């Protein structure tokens, strides 16, 4: 049960774990705490491990499930169902923050049966003791440049990797360790996002990894990469996005009926407010002036 300091006796989910997250992830985690976005918290104690689980509300229609496991050796790792689940997952940080500050929101249960995280967890973060270097698998084909594992580890043979492949790997993944002739990388959601933003398609990325490994990619790895790529198109962030605000509800409708401006629009928020492509600001101003309107441009 929670003690006076807000922890569970013998529980390893301490504030030290928060040092693994960036300032931005911790700030987002604080927001989830403020809005009550963490719910259905539960601590399960088994003979082999302890599990901290909760749901984190992303929106009214979507939430993610976080599981944090600590085994008897003091190793802590976590899994989140968000597309970018990795060491710096803001949802995991949010669950830890709530546990540390409001442990009463978690139910505590004991289970005599061991429970384990799925083998295909995106990554494991060892707090104590430090993680040992990952040994290169003996099953890497002799003529292959790399091997992809189901949990998105890349074992790269430095003497076999062409420059184009090395560039792709460095974009997709974070270096974990070097062992003999191999370098071991972990593919991340952020890395895939960067590769896609560089102009590569998910089909090209999967094909490059398959060709370099001389074997079919594990289905778990292929499925997760495809899922991340699909999630890439669910939202877009625009910097310095121009908007047009009309004085009444009729000017926009008249311009739309006249035609010629729809290609400039990114989104219509309301009858009086629209967002436009930055490169078409001057085009839209000229079109409005041609139709007798006098737009006021503010920077």
């Amino acid at each position: 049960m929670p003690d006076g300091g807000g922890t569970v006796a013998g529980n390893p989910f301490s504030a030290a774990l928060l040092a693994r997250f960036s300032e931005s992830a911790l700030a987002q985690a604080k927001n989830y705490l403020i809005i009550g976005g963490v719910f259905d918290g539960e601590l399960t104690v088994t003979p082999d491990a302890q599990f901290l689980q909760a749901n984190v509300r992303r929106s009214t229609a979507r939430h993610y499930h976080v599981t944090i496991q600590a085994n008897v050796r003091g190793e802590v790792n976590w899994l989140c169902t968000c597309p970018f689940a990795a060491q710096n997952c803001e949802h995991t940080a949010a669950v830890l923050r709530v546990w540390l500050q409001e442990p009463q929101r978690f139910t505590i249960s004991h289970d005599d049966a061991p429970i384990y995280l799925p083998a295909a967890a995106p990554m494991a973060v060892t707090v104590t003791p430090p993680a040992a270097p990952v040994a290169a698998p003996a099953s890497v084909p002799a003529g292959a440049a790399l091997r992809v594992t189901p949990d998105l580890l890349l074992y790269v043979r430095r003497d076999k990797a062409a420059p184009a492949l090395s560039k792709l790997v460095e974009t997709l993944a974070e270096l974990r360790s070097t062992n003999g002739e191999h370098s071991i990388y972990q593919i991340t959601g952020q890395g895939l996002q960067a590769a896609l933003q560089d102009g590569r398609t998910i089909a090209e990325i999967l094909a490059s990894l398959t060709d370099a490994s001389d074997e079919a990619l594990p289905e778990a790895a292929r499925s997760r990469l495809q899922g991340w790529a699909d999630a890439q198109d669910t939202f877009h962030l625009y910097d310095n996005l121009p908007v047009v605000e009309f004085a009444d509800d009729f000017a926009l409708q008249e311009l739309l009926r006249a035609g010629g401006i729809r290609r400039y629009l990114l989104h219509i928020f309301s009858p009086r407010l629209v967002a436009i492509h930055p490169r078409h600001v001057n085009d839209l101003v000229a079109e409005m002036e041609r139709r007798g309107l006098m737009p006021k441009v503010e920077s």
Side-chain angles (χ1 to χ4, degrees):
M1 297 299 292
D3 60 25
T7 62
V8 169
N11 193 274
F13 306 115
S14 67
L17 289 173
L18 294 177
R20 296 281 179 171
F21 299 89
S22 68
E23 291 184 6
S24 61
L26 292 174
Q28 290 294 329
K30 184 177 181 179
N31 289 337
Y32 284 118
L33 180 64
I34 292 172
I35 66 174
V38 178
F39 60 100
D40 292 341
E42 180 179 4
L43 172 69
T44 303
V45 181
T46 77
D48 300 306
Q50 297 185 40
F51 297 83
L52 202 62
Q53 301 185 68
N55 292 316
V56 181
R57 184 176 291 108
R58 174 65 179 83
S59 66
T60 55
R62 177 180 298 178
H63 67 268
Y64 301 120
H65 186 75
V66 173
T67 302
I68 309 171
Q69 171 190 298
N71 63 29
V72 293
R73 297 185 298 277
E75 298 166 340
V76 179
N77 59 74
W78 49 76
L79 177 66
C80 178
T81 59
C82 71
F84 302 108
Q87 176 176 352
N88 199 36
C89 171
E90 64 194 46
H91 311 107
T92 304
V95 173
L96 285 170
R97 274 193 176 277
V98 173
W99 168 251
L100 292 167
Q101 298 182 37
E102 302 179 21
Q104 68 277 8
R105 291 172 56 179
F106 290 77
T107 61
I108 301 176
S109 62
H110 291 74
D111 195 328
D112 293 333
I115 306 174
Y116 300 99
L117 282 178
M123 70 173 296
V125 181
T126 300
V127 177
T128 53
V134 182
S139 58
V140 176
L146 60 79
R147 182 190 177 205
V148 184
T149 70
D151 54 354
L152 298 182
L153 282 175
L154 296 178
Y155 296 86
V156 181
R157 284 184 170 169
R158 295 187 296 277
D159 60 335
K160 296 283 187 180
L165 177 63
S166 296
K167 182 178 179 181
L168 174 61
V169 168
E170 290 171 0
T171 302
L172 277 176
E174 298 176 352
L175 181 64
R176 287 287 176 261
S177 64
T178 299
N179 190 334
E181 63 182 4
H182 296 84
S183 292
I184 297 91
Y185 293 82
Q186 174 73 60
I187 298 178
T188 66
Q190 291 89 342
L192 180 63
Q193 185 180 45
L196 294 172
Q197 290 175 345
D198 281 348
R200 300 180 176 92
T201 66
I202 183 60
E204 291 170 347
I205 293 170
L206 293 174
S208 296
L209 294 176
T210 300
D211 292 344
S213 61
D214 284 346
E215 60 184 8
L217 298 183
E219 184 55 36
R222 177 179 291 273
S223 176
R224 189 156 189 84
L225 289 172
Q226 185 66 60
W228 282 347
D230 293 341
Q232 166 82 3
D233 293 327
T234 59
F235 66 91
H236 298 275
L237 297 178
Y238 295 93
D239 189 23
N240 298 321
L241 179 67
V243 296
V244 178
E245 185 177 9
F246 294 89
D248 57 49
D249 294 342
F250 308 107
L252 174 61
Q253 297 305 316
E254 291 177 1
L255 286 170
L256 290 172
R257 282 196 297 270
I261 75 159
R262 189 173 293 275
R263 66 183 181 275
Y264 304 148
L265 306 184
L266 279 174
H267 187 73
I268 300 176
F269 298 104
S270 74
R272 298 190 182 193
L273 187 66
V274 299
I276 63 173
H277 290 279
R279 64 179 178 273
H280 289 313
V281 171
N282 292 333
D283 297 329
L284 182 59
V285 169
E287 181 71 16
M288 294 174 70
E289 289 178 342
R290 191 173 72 84
R291 297 188 178 278
L293 299 175
M294 299 297 292
K296 180 181 179 181
V297 180
E298 298 179 353
S299 58

